[in-house]
Amino acid sequence: MRADARKNYSHLLAVARDVISEHGVDASLRDIARKAGVGLGTLYRHFPTREALLEALLRANLDELTRRASELETMSSPDDALVSWFREAVGFTHSYSGVVNLMAAALADPDSALHASCTTVRSAGARLLQRAQAEGMARADLDGADLLALIGALAWVRDQFSFAPRADHLIDFIASAILTERPGSGATKR
Amino acid sequence: MRADARKNYSHLLAVARDVISEHGVDASLRDIARKAGVGLGTLYRHFPTREALLEALLRANLDELTRRASELETMSSPDDALVSWFREAVGFTHSYSGVVNLMAAALADPDSALHASCTTVRSAGARLLQRAQAEGMARADLDGADLLALIGALAWVRDQFSFAPRADHLIDFIASAILTERPGSGATKR
DNA sequence: ACCTGAACACCGTTCAAGT
DNA sequence: ACCTGAACACCGTTCAAGT
């Protein structure tokens, strides 16, 4: 990678971080190139798709989320670990508005630049969920995909101006519902 | 209203129904006008904003949803009524993809053409919720806004291709969590 | 009264031309 | 190798001109 290319790449990323923080994942790519003082084609050369740009922006955060899952797996009780991670995952989506839509689409599309990172996060969450389920601490009728769907659903709530004030409360609500056994099935394992 | 205007109005509405069913609430207005064989300005004359167009498309459905709430209030037990209505509300959002985003925005904006219909639906849901809460059948720490947020959240799940298959299951999950008392608070009213 | 479509200011995406 | 920006095909929104 030539020196000028390297410089353009990192500067584009920095500008994109600002613009997308402010305007969400549907921010104008033209605007990003303009603010970076770079030709539009240069942005497309470095990031052939919008997903590719967001993948570069999110990779570190998604990796961190995966790492945190492993950490919690050894450091906390299964129920606390699951709920803590769940909260952190919803919090993470706060970084760029609309990011969960992109992640949901990426899960369905193996060709998306975000696909790998997203499935990794899903697996990390699924492991925490299974650990809690094995101890009878979480509902048995949920899987890793459900966990991610709930994270996305709560991120959606948080993204809506009118619902945002209640988002934290609904996170508590759903987190406790994940841990609660089904009503009527009083039986617990062990 | 002149005869030609009346005809354009209803034809535009019919075409919009088709196009928005297929492409969601962000469908191209130009495309709608084109397919209706009408000048672009004519669409804007009848529906000055996108919300105005959707309000015309949704009013009947939203009114029906409000009516159903009243009906269920007299016909079913408080818990069944609440859960049935909740399911119907999520089902309603299936009509046009992305419609919940518009509704959430309308709740926050009193000037939106959709504002009145949305607050009416919220009130209808809140009444069903309060009725169930009064009998100790629903969690006391939820309000009408929470109920709508949960409906929107589940509609979001359903809108995502990758999560849609689990949507029905998550609706069951959340519906039962609404009815379940808080873990630890074994006390029930009456 | 009502309709029309050009005009304006934006997009995303591609690609020939430059260095 | 890499960068540039014009070109193309789209938007939403407005509004002078027509009937």
Side-chain angles (χ1 to χ4, degrees):
Chain A
M1 193 134 145
R2 234 164 57 180
D4 55 346
R6 182 169 217 81
K7 201 186 138 207
N8 280 336
Y9 179 90
S10 54
H11 189 223
L12 271 169
L13 220 48
V15 171
R17 196 175 300 277
D18 288 350
V19 174
I20 294 179
S21 288
E22 192 178 346
H23 299 294
V25 297
D26 292 325
S28 160
L29 299 181
R30 249 192 169 82
D31 193 33
I32 292 171
R34 204 160 32 216
K35 281 184 171 130
V38 133
L40 192 44
T42 303
L43 190 155
Y44 274 90
R45 156 168 273 259
H46 288 295
F47 309 103
T49 66
R50 184 176 229 104
E51 281 87 30
L53 177 56
L54 266 120
E55 200 273 337
L57 280 183
L58 291 176
R59 183 195 284 283
N61 306 47
L62 290 170
D63 286 354
E64 167 66 10
L65 207 54
T66 302
R67 197 193 60 73
R68 271 295 281 165
S70 309
E71 189 175 273
L72 285 163
E73 211 167 342
T74 63
M75 284 182 50
S76 299
S77 62
D79 50 353
D80 286 349
L82 177 59
V83 169
S84 297
W85 187 81
F86 187 74
R87 283 178 206 282
E88 286 180 32
V90 179
F92 149 76
T93 63
H94 205 35
S95 50
Y96 308 108
S97 88
V99 71
V100 281
N101 295 67
L102 230 53
M103 290 178 64
L107 282 168
D109 174 18
D111 295 333
S112 164
L114 276 165
H115 186 74
S117 309
C118 291
T119 55
T120 304
V121 167
R122 182 175 55 191
S123 303
R127 264 200 313 278
L128 283 176
L129 177 62
Q130 279 157 20
R131 179 162 162 258
Q133 285 170 332
E135 300 290 333
M137 291 174 164
R139 284 178 65 125
D141 64 340
L142 296 174
D143 64 17
D146 292 331
L147 202 62
L148 239 57
L150 290 172
I151 289 166
L154 287 166
W156 179 88
V157 170
R158 195 178 225 169
D159 268 0
Q160 310 304 312
F161 180 77
S162 53
F163 295 142
R166 301 291 281 172
D168 283 338
H169 183 243
L170 290 172
I171 293 170
D172 292 342
F173 166 66
I174 290 184
S176 87
I178 291 172
L179 295 185
T180 303
E181 286 297 298
R182 232 199 222 82
S185 85
T188 48
K189 242 180 132 187
R190 309 238 276 120
Chain B
M1 195 136 145
R2 236 163 58 180
D4 55 346
R6 182 169 216 82
K7 200 185 137 207
N8 280 336
Y9 179 90
S10 56
H11 189 224
L12 271 169
L13 220 47
V15 172
R17 198 176 299 277
D18 288 350
V19 174
I20 294 180
S21 288
E22 192 178 346
H23 299 294
V25 296
D26 292 324
S28 160
L29 299 181
R30 249 194 169 81
D31 193 34
I32 293 171
R34 203 159 33 217
K35 280 182 171 132
V38 132
L40 192 44
T42 303
L43 190 155
Y44 273 91
R45 155 167 273 261
H46 288 296
F47 308 103
T49 65
R50 185 176 229 106
E51 280 89 29
L53 177 56
L54 267 121
E55 199 274 336
L57 280 182
L58 291 176
R59 182 194 284 284
N61 306 49
L62 290 170
D63 286 354
E64 168 66 10
L65 207 53
T66 302
R67 196 194 61 72
R68 270 296 280 165
S70 310
E71 188 176 274
L72 286 163
E73 210 167 341
T74 63
M75 284 181 50
S76 298
S77 62
D79 50 352
D80 286 350
L82 177 60
V83 168
S84 297
W85 187 82
F86 186 75
R87 283 179 205 283
E88 285 180 32
V90 179
F92 148 77
T93 63
H94 205 34
S95 50
Y96 307 108
S97 88
V99 72
V100 281
N101 295 67
L102 231 52
M103 291 178 63
L107 282 169
D109 173 17
D111 295 333
S112 164
L114 275 165
H115 186 73
S117 309
C118 291
T119 54
T120 303
V121 168
R122 181 175 56 190
S123 304
R127 265 200 313 279
L128 283 176
L129 177 61
Q130 280 156 18
R131 180 163 163 258
Q133 285 170 333
E135 299 289 332
M137 291 173 163
R139 284 178 64 125
D141 63 340
L142 296 175
D143 63 18
D146 292 330
L147 202 61
L148 238 58
L150 289 171
I151 289 166
L154 287 166
W156 179 88
V157 169
R158 196 178 225 168
D159 269 0
Q160 310 304 312
F161 181 76
S162 53
F163 294 142
R166 301 292 282 172
D168 283 338
H169 183 245
L170 289 173
I171 293 170
D172 292 341
F173 165 66
I174 289 184
S176 87
I178 291 173
L179 295 185
T180 303
E181 285 297 299
R182 231 201 222 85
S185 87
T188 49
K189 242 180 132 187
R190 310 239 274 115

